[in-house]
Amino acid sequence: MKKYNAITFAAFTPAGTYSRPEVMDSLNAALDTGANMIVLAPTGYQATPHSEEITYNETCTDEELINMAEYIHSKGVQVCLKPITQCKDGTWRAFINFFDKDVVCEPKWSNWFKSYTAFICHYAELAEKVNAEMFIAGCEMVMSERREAEWRQVIADIKKVYSGPVCYNTDKYQEDNVQWWDAVDIIGASGYYPIDNWEEQLDRIEAVVKKFNRPFFFAEYGCMSVEGSSNIPNKWDLPGGINLQEQADWYAAAHEAINKRDWIIGTCVWDWAAVLYKKEQAVENRGYDTYGKPAELEIRKQFKG
């Protein structure tokens, strides 16, 4: 099976972003890494982790997504749609949660899943329209993952309108907690593991892959260029000085471990900005960005190797 060498491009961007010429320059730079898949991530918003309604009128428009997908395909590169739910109050989506038993006058899972299904199936229909090569049904929705029946129904509803492979992106360390992997075509997870812990975590994940007999995709992986980030790559607000080499070393270690496992069908870099800084400013960038940094060379080596 051909491996997915993917990059998440321009996540969380508002409507109108894709039409800016500098965005296309950034996309072309991402394609130049050797990526064979670009993941586009339209955003749904809810007010708080306890809100029942998800809206998606502030994210990139359907027309923008269609045009972007067509351009990516014209370059011979695959497209994946990965709609992501965000809380407007800044709470991480993993904490979206409700009572397991319905209570009168309290927000309910049933209402939230109804809204989520409308949101996710809208983009599943769009994925079918643009012939996307993969669709990701959710991202790091940790507290909701115990609602097995509802997630099975969400996946079933997606499959009614989208004919390609469906993945779900759980969070790091959660791979063996999801009990409905048989409902999707690809097991997905966010690979933010410490630099010296990859082998142990991959051994754990391999047991899940064997149990459910599904291929595995790191739907996200990445590390900031900050001192200490290689030991806790998921901490986006980690304090510390800039260290470009530490980021590169983390990618090198991740690739060395991942390449030993034939059940991993690909990885997806998190993330590539809609508008790039100037290459000479890379030494001042402490984020997950890899453009112009030693980590970009590690990614190029992985993607083109």
Side-chain angles (χ1 to χ4, degrees):
M1 179 182 290
K2 181 179 180 181
K3 292 212 170 188
Y4 299 109
N5 296 321
I7 292 176
T8 302
F9 180 74
F12 311 135
T13 52
T17 300
Y18 286 173
S19 61
R20 297 169 60 183
E22 58 266 42
V23 173
M24 298 310 295
D25 292 339
S26 179
L27 175 60
N28 287 328
L31 295 173
D32 189 53
T33 63
N36 62 20
M37 173 177 276
I38 295 294
V39 176
L40 302 174
T43 313
Y45 292 100
Q46 56 186 82
T48 75
H50 310 306
S51 301
E52 298 173 315
E53 183 181 7
I54 300 167
T55 60
Y56 45 99
N57 56 354
E58 299 174 52
T59 191
C60 49
T61 66
D62 291 356
E63 183 180 8
E64 287 178 294
L65 278 172
I66 291 169
N67 291 340
M68 187 65 81
E70 288 178 348
Y71 178 79
I72 294 166
H73 277 150
S74 76
K75 296 296 185 179
V77 175
Q78 297 177 313
V79 171
C80 170
L81 288 195
K82 179 186 178 179
I84 299 179
T85 306
Q86 291 282 82
C87 299
K88 284 194 168 185
D89 67 357
T91 305
W92 180 29
R93 57 193 167 275
F95 293 106
I96 294 171
N97 200 15
F98 305 94
F99 294 153
D100 277 335
K101 184 176 182 180
D102 283 358
V103 176
V104 175
C105 296
E106 298 292 350
K108 300 171 179 61
W109 277 120
S110 55
N111 293 336
W112 183 85
F113 269 105
K114 181 178 179 181
S115 186
Y116 186 83
T117 300
F119 160 66
I120 205 72
C121 284
H122 171 81
Y123 288 105
E125 291 177 356
L126 195 62
E128 182 73 10
K129 183 174 182 177
V130 302
N131 298 312
E133 283 81 4
M134 186 192 297
F135 185 81
I136 298 180
C139 177
E140 301 173 348
M141 312 291 286
V142 177
M143 300 299 286
S144 76
E145 290 169 4
R146 69 183 187 275
R147 305 293 295 190
E148 180 175 349
E150 288 95 330
W151 273 110
R152 288 185 178 277
Q153 186 60 55
V154 168
I155 303 301
D157 288 341
I158 289 170
K159 286 177 173 280
K160 292 175 184 176
V161 297
Y162 174 68
S163 59
V166 177
C167 177
Y168 174 78
N169 177 183
T170 192
D171 193 36
K172 59 203 173 293
Y173 303 103
Q174 307 303 316
E175 297 91 350
D176 45 3
N177 283 338
V178 177
Q179 300 302 309
W180 38 272
W181 286 127
D182 57 296
V184 298
D185 304 296
I186 301 169
I187 297 172
S190 295
Y192 299 101
Y193 290 118
I195 189 170
D196 60 353
N197 195 227
W198 276 99
E199 296 293 351
E200 179 181 346
Q201 297 305 325
L202 293 180
D203 285 344
R204 179 182 57 80
I205 296 169
E206 185 168 2
V208 179
V209 170
K210 289 181 176 179
K211 176 181 178 180
F212 288 96
N213 192 29
R214 293 290 188 272
F216 182 86
F217 177 54
F218 272 120
E220 291 183 17
Y221 78 136
C223 177
M224 291 170 44
S225 47
V226 174
E227 291 280 356
S229 188
S230 65
N231 293 316
I232 185 167
N234 56 294
K235 188 170 177 59
W236 59 269
D237 57 352
L238 184 70
I242 294 173
N243 190 327
L244 304 190
Q245 190 58 47
E246 183 168 346
Q247 182 188 40
D249 291 345
W250 182 88
Y251 271 103
H255 294 156
E256 181 180 6
I258 287 168
N259 291 341
K260 297 175 185 175
R261 315 281 177 142
D262 59 7
W263 44 268
I264 299 177
I265 61 170
T267 56
C268 181
V269 173
W270 183 270
D271 68 336
W272 197 278
V275 178
L276 293 174
Y277 44 80
K278 294 180 180 178
K279 186 166 283 191
E280 58 267 26
Q281 295 175 320
V283 294
E284 303 169 0
N285 184 283
R286 57 186 290 114
Y288 287 95
D289 312 76
T290 59
Y291 174 68
K293 300 178 183 179
E296 185 183 359
L297 299 180
E298 288 295 335
I299 291 166
R300 286 173 176 270
K301 185 165 66 172
Q302 175 75 357
F303 285 4
K304 294 185 176 183

